[in-house]
Amino acid sequence: MSRTRKRTLATAGVAALSALAALTVPLATAGTATAAAPCDYPAQQLDLTNWKVTLPTGSSGSPTEVKQPALATFSSSPWFTVNSRCTGVQFRSAVNAVTTPNSSYGRSELREMTDNGTKNASWSATSGTHTLTFREAFNKLPNDKPHVVGAQIHDGDDDVTVFRLEGTSLYITKGDDTHHKLVTSNYQLNTVFEGKFVVSGGQIKVYYNGVLQTTIPHTASGN
């Protein structure tokens, strides 16, 4: 039976940016505890039920991971927090940060989960339809190597395709081809864009601001 799964996030590449969110202001009533403001935790901005966050902190080879239910009331400034305007979530990583065992680059990132955030998501590119839509902006690049990844699909072994900013050039990658598709050569920091991956029938369709940029063959499982 075919299944359709959609994930919608508003995130940012290095530090944050605007996200569309329906915000409600809690009312404080005499004699009762005051509810948390909608700007206290990223989970108040994004539906993080089926996500975990990895942070550029912790010990060598073992960065900090926060899963549900702790993620629902978790924030870590400046690495993963609601931005100052309360319009989105800020992600940040230091260039000399703690990394995962198989990477030399620190990260602050959300990873897809299932079963209310208790298990790693692992789906096949040939079964069902899997969609990730996100709105983000890059607003800071490292000085020595001004490259940052903003969103990606990863299979059981390696990254499959990512949105990658190099200076002012925004690319969609394909495996080890980091320059597979040039989206724009004039990206300006703090510019919000919408990206989308749609995976179905052994293909990944990648969109930028609603326009199809490339179709990448991909039949692996463990995504």
Side-chain angles (χ1 to χ4, degrees), residues 139-152:
N139 50 20
K140 179 68 176 177
L141 293 174
N143 293 329
D144 293 340
K145 185 179 181 181
H147 300 176
V148 172
V149 167
Q152 70 173 346

Side-chain angles (χ1 to χ4, degrees), residues 6-10 46-47 51 131-134:
K6 293 185 178 180
R7 308 91 164 156
T8 302
L9 290 177
L46 306 175
D47 182 357
W51 298 86
T131 302
L132 173 65
T133 304
F134 57 92

Side-chain angles (χ1 to χ4, degrees), residues 22-41:
L23 302 180
T24 57
V25 179
L27 299 177
T29 305
T32 63
T34 302
C39 305
D40 290 346
Y41 311 118

Side-chain angles (χ1 to χ4, degrees), residues 148-159:
V148 172
V149 167
Q152 70 173 346
I153 294 178
H154 203 289
D155 65 15
D157 298 315
D158 204 352
D159 55 285

